[in-house]
Amino acid sequence: MYNPPDILSMAYKQPIMHDQLQLLQEKEQQMPGSVQYAIKRYRKHSQWNIEDTGVLVYHYKKAAPQENYVELRFCISGNMYCNQKDVECDQCKLNTSKACAERVESIDVMTFRFLSVHLSQFVKPGKLKTITDEVLQFVHPSSFSKILPLCGRTRQVLEALLGHSYTDSLENIFINGQSQMLLLYSLECMLGDDKEIEPFQCKFLANEADREKIVKAREILLQHIGEPITIKELSRKVAINECYLKKGFKELYGTTIFDFYQSQRMEHARYLLYEKGLTVTEVSMMLGYSSISHFSTAFKKQTGLKPCELLLH
């Protein structure tokens, strides 16, 4: 199965540990005969710098066409969430009170999945003329993901979906209509009528089994936060050539294995220090550093601060 990069990690420019996330709201719905819609709203930490990001995912599986889909993924920040907005906090519901104690800044992750049976109805009979037609009919031969430019129209739709007050049947109609607009804007901005999907620079990544090995390598790195692992060991665990592993990882995730691993370890270190209140010595040992000074140097190189300086902020 094709596994595109995590939208939250893309928006944050580095991986986010899931135990750092405080879920404020979660909702998932299947619109009858249409889109599967999901939203997760997280509390934003004051130190996080999130860049609004959108991705179009084309998932194609020739042997199992019933599993084909197009998914739109968005991560946006800067909105406010109120725990009481649907109950008794009328001021927040009307967005008139900035002093409400229940209001917190949020990071909002939204996904819209369109199955092939739904999308194929939009293509006119006859010869497929554009890459858009290929995607909607699921005849483009390989899975891919592409960054989406978040134009003003797209942002308006996303904000409307976050802030609407519809319920029951009217909510279904509203979400269905807005998701169709997102699909239109995304295909229009991303694909157009005369653009082609750029293939992977690493030709071997066109093979789904090889892509799975790269994804597996990333998972193993995350499992070894406190147990440093060499690239040679990693390549053996996923049964792929070291050179292919390094090139493929850079192609799929836009960073080197070393930089990814270091950023992940230091982000986890920051969480342990700032959120969990552990000492520098404790964190250094948990992450497998031979000395506090080595850990401190690595932490400052990644974050710009020494561990002790972080605790003063």
Side-chain angles (χ1 to χ4, degrees):
M1 180 181 290
Y2 176 60
N3 288 288
D6 176 62
I7 187 70
L8 254 177
S9 297
M10 293 177 65
Y12 189 43
K13 298 300 183 184
Q14 58 182 300
I16 290 182
M17 299 295 290
H18 286 285
D19 56 0
Q20 294 176 263
L21 299 172
Q22 179 184 344
L23 186 65
L24 299 172
Q25 181 187 21
E26 182 175 17
K27 187 173 186 179
E28 185 171 346
Q29 287 181 259
Q30 174 68 55
M31 299 297 105
S34 181
V35 63
Q36 181 180 342
Y37 158 78
I39 176 175
K40 289 186 178 180
R41 306 191 72 176
Y42 301 99
R43 187 185 188 113
K44 182 182 178 183
H45 292 274
S46 59
Q47 295 184 328
W48 287 3
N49 182 23
I50 300 291
E51 181 177 316
D52 292 352
T53 305
V55 174
L56 182 148
V57 176
Y58 172 79
H59 182 274
Y60 176 76
K61 200 168 185 178
K62 186 177 181 179
Q66 72 279 4
E67 297 179 16
N68 293 343
Y69 62 83
V70 167
E71 188 171 77
L72 305 178
R73 300 180 177 186
F74 300 96
C75 179
I76 57 177
S77 63
N79 293 306
M80 303 301 295
Y81 177 81
C82 177
N83 291 318
Q84 300 297 321
K85 71 182 181 66
D86 296 323
V87 184
E88 59 189 15
C89 190
D90 291 334
Q91 287 186 314
C92 281
K93 192 179 244 185
L94 298 172
N95 201 30
T96 59
S97 174
K98 295 182 179 181
C100 175
E102 298 293 336
R103 282 165 56 98
V104 295
E105 191 172 359
S106 65
I107 298 172
D108 307 314
V109 176
M110 308 171 74
T111 61
F112 306 84
R113 178 173 293 190
F114 304 87
L115 299 179
S116 58
V117 66
H118 172 67
L119 295 178
S120 60
Q121 65 182 307
F122 297 121
V123 181
K124 292 182 179 180
K127 184 179 179 181
L128 301 179
K129 297 180 180 180
T130 68
I131 188 64
T132 304
D133 291 341
E134 289 185 15
V135 168
L136 294 177
Q137 281 282 52
F138 287 90
V139 296
H140 189 74
S142 61
S143 300
F144 65 86
S145 59
K146 286 292 181 179
I147 300 294
L148 289 173
L150 295 191
C151 61
R153 297 179 302 174
T154 298
R155 292 178 184 276
Q156 285 183 347
V157 173
L158 294 175
E159 290 177 5
L161 284 164
L162 288 172
H164 77 84
S165 57
Y166 293 107
T167 59
D168 302 323
S169 299
L170 290 180
E171 181 180 29
N172 289 343
I173 295 172
F174 178 77
I175 291 176
N176 183 61
Q178 295 298 307
S179 63
Q180 300 300 320
M181 296 304 294
L182 280 177
L183 179 64
L184 171 64
Y185 298 153
S186 299
L187 291 174
E188 185 179 53
C189 290
M190 194 59 239
L191 302 177
D193 290 332
D194 55 3
K195 296 179 181 178
E196 296 184 355
I197 301 300
E198 297 177 2
F200 286 109
Q201 292 180 4
C202 299
K203 292 183 179 180
F204 79 94
L205 284 182
N207 183 297
E208 185 172 332
D210 287 327
R211 293 200 302 271
E212 284 297 316
K213 291 179 180 180
I214 304 298
V215 172
K216 180 63 177 178
R218 180 182 182 275
E219 293 174 355
I220 292 173
L221 287 173
L222 294 176
Q223 294 166 3
H224 284 74
I225 291 298
E227 309 169 56
I229 182 172
T230 67
I231 293 179
K232 178 178 288 188
E233 291 172 325
L234 188 60
S235 69
R236 288 175 180 171
K237 284 181 177 291
V238 297
I240 195 172
N241 178 280
E242 283 185 52
C243 181
Y244 279 1
L245 175 59
K246 290 188 284 188
K247 289 182 178 179
F249 197 96
K250 181 69 179 291
E251 179 72 18
L252 278 185
Y253 297 110
T255 185
T256 66
I257 293 174
F258 177 79
D259 287 344
F260 169 83
Y261 187 56
Q262 281 298 96
S263 67
Q264 186 70 31
R265 295 179 84 197
M266 294 306 103
E267 185 60 34
H268 189 52
R270 175 158 51 182
Y271 169 71
L272 294 174
L273 290 165
Y274 191 77
E275 300 293 335
K276 292 296 186 179
L278 272 61
T279 67
V280 175
T281 301
E282 290 171 329
V283 174
S284 175
M285 292 179 62
M286 287 181 66
L287 296 183
Y289 279 88
S290 58
S291 71
I292 296 176
S293 62
H294 288 166
F295 166 63
S296 181
T297 299
F299 190 88
K300 184 174 182 179
K301 183 177 180 180
Q302 185 70 36
T303 66
L305 293 172
K306 291 181 179 180
C308 57
E309 294 174 335
L310 175 71
L311 298 176
L312 298 176
H313 281 64

mmCIF file of all heavy atoms in Angstrom, residues 6 24 41 76 84 94 104 107 136 139 141-142 159 161 188 201 203 232 234 246 268 271 276:
data_model
loop_
_atom_site.group_PDB
_atom_site.id
_atom_site.type_symbol
_atom_site.label_atom_id
_atom_site.label_comp_id
_atom_site.label_asym_id
_atom_site.label_seq_id
_atom_site.Cartn_x
_atom_site.Cartn_y
_atom_site.Cartn_z
ATOM 1 N N ASP A 6 3.361 12.018 6.322
ATOM 2 C CA ASP A 6 2.374 12.512 7.276
ATOM 3 C C ASP A 6 2.188 14.019 7.113
ATOM 4 O O ASP A 6 3.162 14.774 7.100
ATOM 5 C CB ASP A 6 2.840 12.176 8.689
ATOM 6 C CG ASP A 6 1.919 12.746 9.747
ATOM 7 O OD1 ASP A 6 0.744 12.365 9.775
ATOM 8 O OD2 ASP A 6 2.384 13.587 10.544
ATOM 9 N N LEU A 24 -8.239 17.928 20.754
ATOM 10 C CA LEU A 24 -9.346 18.749 21.232
ATOM 11 C C LEU A 24 -10.683 18.265 20.692
ATOM 12 O O LEU A 24 -11.690 18.280 21.389
ATOM 13 C CB LEU A 24 -9.134 20.208 20.804
ATOM 14 C CG LEU A 24 -7.883 20.911 21.329
ATOM 15 C CD1 LEU A 24 -7.726 22.269 20.656
ATOM 16 C CD2 LEU A 24 -7.953 21.081 22.838
ATOM 17 N N ARG A 41 -8.670 18.143 15.565
ATOM 18 C CA ARG A 41 -8.185 19.449 16.018
ATOM 19 C C ARG A 41 -7.329 19.241 17.264
ATOM 20 O O ARG A 41 -7.759 18.609 18.233
ATOM 21 C CB ARG A 41 -9.358 20.395 16.309
ATOM 22 C CG ARG A 41 -10.325 20.544 15.147
ATOM 23 C CD ARG A 41 -11.313 21.670 15.346
ATOM 24 N NE ARG A 41 -10.646 22.956 15.203
ATOM 25 C CZ ARG A 41 -11.286 24.133 15.258
ATOM 26 N NH1 ARG A 41 -12.587 24.160 15.484
ATOM 27 N NH2 ARG A 41 -10.616 25.254 15.125
ATOM 28 N N ILE A 76 -3.896 23.146 8.848
ATOM 29 C CA ILE A 76 -3.885 24.598 8.979
ATOM 30 C C ILE A 76 -3.844 24.969 10.454
ATOM 31 O O ILE A 76 -4.301 24.222 11.319
ATOM 32 C CB ILE A 76 -5.110 25.255 8.301
ATOM 33 C CG1 ILE A 76 -6.415 24.690 8.864
ATOM 34 C CG2 ILE A 76 -5.061 25.048 6.798
ATOM 35 C CD1 ILE A 76 -7.647 25.351 8.301
ATOM 36 N N GLN A 84 -16.412 24.882 24.970
ATOM 37 C CA GLN A 84 -17.811 25.065 25.310
ATOM 38 C C GLN A 84 -18.646 25.670 24.180
ATOM 39 O O GLN A 84 -19.797 26.024 24.389
ATOM 40 C CB GLN A 84 -17.927 25.973 26.549
ATOM 41 C CG GLN A 84 -17.241 25.431 27.785
ATOM 42 C CD GLN A 84 -17.864 24.132 28.259
ATOM 43 O OE1 GLN A 84 -19.071 23.973 28.224
ATOM 44 N NE2 GLN A 84 -17.032 23.197 28.691
ATOM 45 N N LEU A 94 -20.215 32.941 18.684
ATOM 46 C CA LEU A 94 -20.354 34.087 17.786
ATOM 47 C C LEU A 94 -19.007 34.744 17.487
ATOM 48 O O LEU A 94 -18.945 35.769 16.814
ATOM 49 C CB LEU A 94 -21.308 35.119 18.416
ATOM 50 C CG LEU A 94 -22.734 34.628 18.639
ATOM 51 C CD1 LEU A 94 -23.529 35.655 19.431
ATOM 52 C CD2 LEU A 94 -23.423 34.342 17.312
ATOM 53 N N VAL A 104 -8.600 28.110 22.865
ATOM 54 C CA VAL A 104 -7.187 27.794 22.674
ATOM 55 C C VAL A 104 -6.900 27.783 21.178
ATOM 56 O O VAL A 104 -7.778 27.503 20.357
ATOM 57 C CB VAL A 104 -6.808 26.427 23.282
ATOM 58 C CG1 VAL A 104 -6.963 26.450 24.788
ATOM 59 C CG2 VAL A 104 -7.632 25.303 22.665
ATOM 60 N N ILE A 107 -4.385 23.418 15.913
ATOM 61 C CA ILE A 107 -3.857 22.911 14.650
ATOM 62 C C ILE A 107 -4.915 21.960 14.125
ATOM 63 O O ILE A 107 -5.315 21.025 14.815
ATOM 64 C CB ILE A 107 -2.530 22.158 14.849
ATOM 65 C CG1 ILE A 107 -1.466 23.103 15.419
ATOM 66 C CG2 ILE A 107 -2.043 21.559 13.533
ATOM 67 C CD1 ILE A 107 -0.196 22.380 15.831
ATOM 68 N N LEU A 136 -9.253 10.841 -12.377
ATOM 69 C CA LEU A 136 -10.649 10.594 -12.019
ATOM 70 C C LEU A 136 -11.121 9.209 -12.448
ATOM 71 O O LEU A 136 -11.984 8.615 -11.809
ATOM 72 C CB LEU A 136 -11.543 11.668 -12.642
ATOM 73 C CG LEU A 136 -11.361 13.096 -12.114
ATOM 74 C CD1 LEU A 136 -12.254 14.065 -12.874
ATOM 75 C CD2 LEU A 136 -11.644 13.180 -10.631
ATOM 76 N N VAL A 139 -6.812 5.521 -14.214
ATOM 77 C CA VAL A 139 -6.003 4.817 -15.203
ATOM 78 C C VAL A 139 -4.556 5.307 -15.172
ATOM 79 O O VAL A 139 -3.711 4.772 -15.894
ATOM 80 C CB VAL A 139 -6.581 4.981 -16.632
ATOM 81 C CG1 VAL A 139 -7.953 4.340 -16.723
ATOM 82 C CG2 VAL A 139 -6.659 6.452 -17.027
ATOM 83 N N PRO A 141 -1.047 5.069 -13.968
ATOM 84 C CA PRO A 141 -0.519 3.762 -13.572
ATOM 85 C C PRO A 141 0.182 3.657 -12.216
ATOM 86 O O PRO A 141 0.532 2.553 -11.811
ATOM 87 C CB PRO A 141 0.471 3.447 -14.698
ATOM 88 C CG PRO A 141 0.932 4.789 -15.177
ATOM 89 C CD PRO A 141 -0.271 5.675 -15.062
ATOM 90 N N SER A 142 0.415 4.748 -11.506
ATOM 91 C CA SER A 142 1.128 4.626 -10.224
ATOM 92 C C SER A 142 0.627 5.651 -9.207
ATOM 93 O O SER A 142 0.174 6.741 -9.571
ATOM 94 C CB SER A 142 2.634 4.810 -10.427
ATOM 95 O OG SER A 142 2.920 6.092 -10.950
ATOM 96 N N GLU A 159 -12.173 26.915 6.325
ATOM 97 C CA GLU A 159 -12.647 27.657 7.492
ATOM 98 C C GLU A 159 -14.154 27.502 7.670
ATOM 99 O O GLU A 159 -14.659 27.434 8.796
ATOM 100 C CB GLU A 159 -12.255 29.124 7.357
ATOM 101 C CG GLU A 159 -10.744 29.354 7.496
ATOM 102 C CD GLU A 159 -10.336 30.794 7.284
ATOM 103 O OE1 GLU A 159 -11.243 31.644 7.128
ATOM 104 O OE2 GLU A 159 -9.127 31.080 7.274
ATOM 105 N N LEU A 161 -15.880 24.860 6.850
ATOM 106 C CA LEU A 161 -16.103 23.515 7.381
ATOM 107 C C LEU A 161 -15.806 23.440 8.871
ATOM 108 O O LEU A 161 -16.439 22.690 9.615
ATOM 109 C CB LEU A 161 -15.236 22.512 6.620
ATOM 110 C CG LEU A 161 -15.734 22.148 5.220
ATOM 111 C CD1 LEU A 161 -14.632 21.487 4.408
ATOM 112 C CD2 LEU A 161 -16.955 21.241 5.304
ATOM 113 N N GLU A 188 -7.961 21.704 -10.107
ATOM 114 C CA GLU A 188 -7.712 22.868 -10.952
ATOM 115 C C GLU A 188 -6.326 23.457 -10.681
ATOM 116 O O GLU A 188 -5.569 23.772 -11.601
ATOM 117 C CB GLU A 188 -8.792 23.923 -10.695
ATOM 118 C CG GLU A 188 -8.716 25.130 -11.611
ATOM 119 C CD GLU A 188 -9.828 26.111 -11.321
ATOM 120 O OE1 GLU A 188 -9.979 26.521 -10.142
ATOM 121 O OE2 GLU A 188 -10.570 26.455 -12.254
ATOM 122 N N GLN A 201 12.135 10.651 -9.122
ATOM 123 C CA GLN A 201 13.494 10.770 -9.619
ATOM 124 C C GLN A 201 14.232 9.442 -9.449
ATOM 125 O O GLN A 201 15.045 9.067 -10.277
ATOM 126 C CB GLN A 201 14.235 11.890 -8.881
ATOM 127 C CG GLN A 201 13.693 13.273 -9.204
ATOM 128 C CD GLN A 201 14.456 14.348 -8.467
ATOM 129 O OE1 GLN A 201 15.425 14.075 -7.767
ATOM 130 N NE2 GLN A 201 14.031 15.581 -8.627
ATOM 131 N N LYS A 203 14.131 5.837 -9.932
ATOM 132 C CA LYS A 203 13.278 4.946 -10.713
ATOM 133 C C LYS A 203 12.828 3.729 -9.931
ATOM 134 O O LYS A 203 11.723 3.219 -10.115
ATOM 135 C CB LYS A 203 14.010 4.517 -11.983
ATOM 136 C CG LYS A 203 14.232 5.659 -12.979
ATOM 137 C CD LYS A 203 14.892 5.168 -14.245
ATOM 138 C CE LYS A 203 15.074 6.309 -15.239
ATOM 139 N NZ LYS A 203 15.723 5.864 -16.497
ATOM 140 N N LYS A 232 23.756 0.941 7.966
ATOM 141 C CA LYS A 232 24.017 -0.437 7.541
ATOM 142 C C LYS A 232 23.046 -1.396 8.221
ATOM 143 O O LYS A 232 22.461 -2.279 7.572
ATOM 144 C CB LYS A 232 25.456 -0.829 7.875
ATOM 145 C CG LYS A 232 25.803 -2.271 7.499
ATOM 146 C CD LYS A 232 27.253 -2.600 7.801
ATOM 147 C CE LYS A 232 28.169 -1.892 6.818
ATOM 148 N NZ LYS A 232 29.588 -2.341 6.965
ATOM 149 N N LEU A 234 20.148 -0.614 9.458
ATOM 150 C CA LEU A 234 18.812 -0.290 8.968
ATOM 151 C C LEU A 234 18.557 -0.927 7.604
ATOM 152 O O LEU A 234 17.475 -1.479 7.356
ATOM 153 C CB LEU A 234 18.651 1.229 8.881
ATOM 154 C CG LEU A 234 17.261 1.771 8.560
ATOM 155 C CD1 LEU A 234 16.256 1.347 9.627
ATOM 156 C CD2 LEU A 234 17.305 3.295 8.446
ATOM 157 N N LYS A 246 19.280 5.356 1.184
ATOM 158 C CA LYS A 246 19.540 6.788 1.404
ATOM 159 C C LYS A 246 18.862 7.643 0.341
ATOM 160 O O LYS A 246 18.236 8.665 0.649
ATOM 161 C CB LYS A 246 21.046 7.046 1.434
ATOM 162 C CG LYS A 246 21.729 6.478 2.682
ATOM 163 C CD LYS A 246 23.173 6.897 2.794
ATOM 164 C CE LYS A 246 24.054 6.134 1.845
ATOM 165 N NZ LYS A 246 25.501 6.402 2.068
ATOM 166 N N HIS A 268 11.796 14.933 20.396
ATOM 167 C CA HIS A 268 11.353 14.133 21.541
ATOM 168 C C HIS A 268 12.030 14.616 22.816
ATOM 169 O O HIS A 268 11.400 14.664 23.890
ATOM 170 C CB HIS A 268 11.676 12.660 21.293
ATOM 171 C CG HIS A 268 11.088 11.733 22.302
ATOM 172 N ND1 HIS A 268 9.753 11.748 22.638
ATOM 173 C CD2 HIS A 268 11.658 10.760 23.073
ATOM 174 C CE1 HIS A 268 9.511 10.840 23.560
ATOM 175 N NE2 HIS A 268 10.645 10.230 23.846
ATOM 176 N N TYR A 271 10.296 17.672 24.046
ATOM 177 C CA TYR A 271 9.035 17.297 24.681
ATOM 178 C C TYR A 271 9.276 16.786 26.108
ATOM 179 O O TYR A 271 8.578 17.161 27.041
ATOM 180 C CB TYR A 271 8.342 16.227 23.839
ATOM 181 C CG TYR A 271 7.169 15.558 24.515
ATOM 182 C CD1 TYR A 271 5.977 16.247 24.728
ATOM 183 C CD2 TYR A 271 7.253 14.239 24.952
ATOM 184 C CE1 TYR A 271 4.906 15.642 25.354
ATOM 185 C CE2 TYR A 271 6.188 13.627 25.580
ATOM 186 C CZ TYR A 271 5.017 14.334 25.778
ATOM 187 O OH TYR A 271 3.952 13.736 26.396
ATOM 188 N N LYS A 276 7.329 17.200 30.006
ATOM 189 C CA LYS A 276 7.338 16.177 31.050
ATOM 190 C C LYS A 276 8.182 16.564 32.264
ATOM 191 O O LYS A 276 8.094 15.922 33.310
ATOM 192 C CB LYS A 276 7.850 14.852 30.480
ATOM 193 C CG LYS A 276 6.909 14.200 29.477
ATOM 194 C CD LYS A 276 5.600 13.816 30.129
ATOM 195 C CE LYS A 276 4.707 13.045 29.192
ATOM 196 N NZ LYS A 276 3.424 12.647 29.824
#
